[in-house]
Amino acid sequence: MTAGSPADAGDRTVREAALEVLREHGLTTVFANPGSTEVSFLTDLPGDLRFVLALHEGSVVGMATGWAIANDRPALVQLHTTAGLGNAVGALATARVNRAPLVVLVGQQDRRHLAQEPFLAGRLEGLAGDYPVWVKQPERAQDVPGAIARAHVEAVTHGGPAVVIVPMDDWEASAEETARRAAPLRVLRPVPAPPPDDPAAAEIAALLDGARSPAIVAGSANDTEEGWAALVGLAERLDCPVWQESFGARAGFPQDHRLFAGHLPADRPRLRTTFAENDVVIAVGAPVFRQYQYHPGALVEPGTRTVLVSADSDEVGRSPADVAVYAPVAPFVDRLAGLVGRRTGGGPAGRAVEHPEPPAPGEPLTPAHVFTALAARITPDTVLVEETPSSRPEMHALLPARRPLGFLSAAMGGLGFALPAAIGVRMARPERPVIAVVGDGSSLYQVQALWSAARYGAGVLFVVLSNGRYAIMDRLAEQHGGKPPWPAFDDVSVSALAHGLGCPARRVETHGDLVAALDEIVPTLLVRDEPVVLDVAVAAGRTFRP
C-alpha cells in the first residue's frame, strides 16, 4: 500500500491515530464551523468527543479562546479551508495577543490533485500571517497525528494558536505505528523559584530599596492565584501604588485593594504625569508601556527608571525598559517580595469611587448607571468579559476585578471577542458566574454566537449597552475636529436578533426595568443553563467621568 492510499479493512487509519493523539492531550471538545473538506474527519465522530458548532468562524475561535483561557490549557478548533481560516484570522490574532493556546485543524482539498488547484483548494500556510505560533501542512498523510501532537506542544510553550493543515483524503489513509506521535505526550511547565542568591532578584530588590517613590504596573500575565498573591506581597512591602496596564486583557492585581491606583493612561503626556513623582516603576507581566494614539516625547520623565519582569521573550525583546528580567513572573516577584525592605506610612489609602445616582424620571440610562447596578449585585467570583470601547473607563472604575479571571477582554483591540469568549469561559468554568458587557456595535460582530450559547446551555448574562451608534468612533471624529460619515444604526434591535437566534432577550429602557431584571437574573447566574440578553437603551454621550 502506498502512502496516502485508503486503508484496507482492519487497518488503522490516520483519523483513528489522530483521535488517539487528541484523547491523549485532552483535546476532546471540538469548536468548529465545518465544510466539505472536514467531513471525512467529523462524520461519525466518537461519542467521547464533544462537537460544538458556532455559526461563524470568529465565534468558533472566540469560544475556544475563552475556553482555553479559563481552563489554562489548549482548546481544539476546526476550520474550513480558505474561507474558514480567512474568516477566523482576526480572532486568531486576538488569541495570540491574549496568549490563548489553541490547536487549529484547517481542512484542505484532496492531496491527490492539489497541484491543479481544484475548487476549495487553499493557499493556507501564510493566510493568517504571523499570528499563529506555528503552521504546518504535513508532508505525508501519516505525519498528521504527529503534527497535531507537535501543535499541542507549540500552543502550550508559545501561548497561541498552532495550525495544522490537513488535506481531506489524509484522514482515510493507512496509518503507521511509527508515525503516531512526533512530540512529547505531555509538556510540563515547572515554575522554578529563583535561588536565594539569584543576582537578578538581588539587583532589582536593591533598586527598589533605593527608590524614593516606587510604583508597580500589573499586567495580564500576572492573572493567576499565585501571581496575585506574590504581587500583593511585594506591593504591601513597598507600600506603593499599583496600576493596571492600559488595555490589558486581564487583571493582574486585586482592584479593590487599598494600594490599587487605577488603570494607566495610554498616551505619553498623561503617562509622564502619572509617574512624575516615581523614580522607579516596575512592570510585572505587563509591557512598558502600552500606548494607543501616538504623542511625541518619552514614556516617562528622565528621572524615572523602568523595570520589566516578563516570561514573554518577545515582550522582553521589544521593551524600552531600563532593565528587563526574563523569568517566570509569579515566583520571581514572590522572591523579590522576600528581599525588599518593608516601608510604612507613605502608601495610598485606596481610591474613592463615587457611583452616580439613579437617573431622574424621564432621564436616560447611562453605562455608569448599568455598571453601578451590576456592582451592587454581582459576587466577587463573577467573570466580567468586556467589549464596550466607549464606556470602558467607567466600567473599570465601577466594576473592579476582585478575583483572578475576574476580568477578560481582547488585548488585540478587535471587536467580536466578548460574546463568544464569554460562552467559552462559562463552558469551561461552570462554577463561575459569567457576564459579558458589550456595546451594541460590538455585539453585531459576532451576534451569531448567541445561537451557540442557547444550543449548548451556556448560562451567560449578556448586557448589551445599546446607543445605536459607534460612540467611540463619533468621539474620536469630534476630537479630530470634524464630523463622521458613518450613520447611526438605531433601527437595529439586538434583542430581536437574539430572539431570532433562539436566545432569550428583553429590552430595558428604564432604571426600574434594569434593577428588576438584574434582581431576577443575577442570583441565578451560578446555576443557570440558559443565556439571556439584556438589550439596555443608554445615552450615547459620556455623562460620568471616573
Side-chain angles (χ1 to χ4, degrees), residues 38 186 259 280 300 303 305 345 365 367 441 457 507 544:
E38 293 72 57
R186 295 168 62 213
L259 294 174
V280 175
V300 294
R305 298 193 66 186
L365 284 168
R507 178 75 170 176
F544 170 81

Side-chain angles (χ1 to χ4, degrees), residues 97-122:
V97 180
N98 277 34
R99 300 186 179 96
L102 305 178
V103 174
V104 183
L105 305 182
V106 180
Q108 174 63 292
Q109 247 285 8
D110 193 301
R111 187 187 290 269
R112 293 167 293 190
H113 66 163
L114 272 178
Q116 285 78 47
E117 292 198 14
F119 181 68
L120 291 180

Side-chain angles (χ1 to χ4, degrees), residues 208-298:
L208 291 169
D209 278 336
R212 171 182 46 80
S213 177
I216 296 172
V217 176
S220 300
N222 198 56
D223 187 28
T224 63
E225 296 283 355
E226 298 78 11
W228 278 36
L231 195 54
V232 166
L234 177 62
E236 291 180 348
R237 295 282 290 184
L238 296 175
D239 201 32
C240 73
V242 180
W243 295 87
Q244 172 68 33
E245 65 169 317
S246 60
F247 294 106
R250 301 167 71 172
F253 187 83
Q255 295 173 357
D256 57 348
H257 193 281
R258 71 173 181 85
L259 294 174
F260 183 66
H263 287 71
L264 276 186
D267 63 83
R268 297 180 186 217
R270 289 189 299 155
L271 194 61
R272 290 193 294 269
T273 300
T274 298
F275 291 136
E277 300 301 319
N278 304 115
D279 52 344
V280 175
V281 180
I282 178 170
V284 175
V288 175
F289 296 103
R290 179 175 282 113
Q291 300 289 286
Y292 180 29
Q293 293 175 306
Y294 174 74
H295 294 273

Side-chain angles (χ1 to χ4, degrees), residues 125-335:
E125 293 197 40
L127 185 57
D130 293 332
Y131 287 111
V133 298
W134 186 72
V135 179
K136 180 69 173 178
Q137 178 170 311
E139 285 76 10
R140 308 179 306 152
Q142 287 74 25
D143 296 328
V144 168
I148 294 172
R150 171 71 182 275
H152 185 272
V153 171
E154 299 292 342
V156 168
T157 56
H158 295 292
V163 175
V164 181
I165 300 164
V166 186
M168 58 194 296
D169 59 310
D170 282 8
W171 299 114
E172 298 173 353
S174 177
E176 299 172 3
E177 288 296 329
T178 56
R180 177 170 154 274
R181 265 200 296 111
L185 174 58
R186 295 168 62 213
V187 177
L188 301 178
R189 292 182 292 173
V191 182
D197 58 349
D198 176 36
E203 179 179 339
I204 303 305
L207 182 63
L208 291 169
D209 278 336
R212 171 182 46 80
S213 177
I216 296 172
V217 176
S220 300
N222 198 56
D223 187 28
T224 63
E225 296 283 355
E226 298 78 11
W228 278 36
L231 195 54
V232 166
L234 177 62
E236 291 180 348
R237 295 282 290 184
L238 296 175
D239 201 32
C240 73
V242 180
W243 295 87
Q244 172 68 33
E245 65 169 317
S246 60
F247 294 106
R250 301 167 71 172
F253 187 83
Q255 295 173 357
D256 57 348
H257 193 281
R258 71 173 181 85
L259 294 174
F260 183 66
H263 287 71
L264 276 186
D267 63 83
R268 297 180 186 217
R270 289 189 299 155
L271 194 61
R272 290 193 294 269
T273 300
T274 298
F275 291 136
E277 300 301 319
N278 304 115
D279 52 344
V280 175
V281 180
I282 178 170
V284 175
V288 175
F289 296 103
R290 179 175 282 113
Q291 300 289 286
Y292 180 29
Q293 293 175 306
Y294 174 74
H295 294 273
L299 291 170
V300 294
E301 299 291 352
T304 302
R305 298 193 66 186
T306 54
V307 179
L308 170 69
V309 180
S310 178
D312 184 334
S313 59
D314 289 338
E315 193 165 81
V316 169
R318 64 176 173 262
S319 178
D322 295 306
V323 181
V325 179
Y326 179 47
V329 173
F332 183 86
V333 172
D334 187 57
R335 178 64 183 148

Side-chain angles (χ1 to χ4, degrees), residues 50 426-427 451-460 528-531:
R50 184 185 187 191
R426 179 66 177 169
M427 293 174 71
W451 179 89
S452 298
R455 174 64 177 78
Y456 296 104
V460 178
R528 70 181 297 124
D529 57 8
E530 181 182 68

Side-chain angles (χ1 to χ4, degrees), residues 13 45 102 251 280 370 415 522:
T13 63
L45 197 67
L102 305 178
V280 175
V370 179
L415 301 180
V522 169

Side-chain angles (χ1 to χ4, degrees), residues 330-389:
F332 183 86
V333 172
D334 187 57
R335 178 64 183 148
L336 200 56
L339 293 176
V340 299
R342 181 177 293 279
R343 301 173 184 235
T344 57
R351 299 178 305 142
V353 177
E354 185 175 342
H355 291 260
E357 293 295 326
E363 289 185 349
L365 284 168
T366 68
H369 292 134
V370 179
F371 302 149
T372 295
L374 281 169
R377 290 163 175 80
I378 64 174
T379 58
D381 62 339
T382 301
V383 182
L384 290 164
V385 187
E386 176 270 335
E387 193 167 274
T388 175

Side-chain angles (χ1 to χ4, degrees), residues 33 56-59 79 81-92 127 446:
N33 182 274
H56 185 276
E57 290 83 0
S59 295
L79 301 173
T81 191
T82 308
L85 180 57
N87 283 343
V89 168
L92 291 171
L127 185 57
Q446 287 301 326

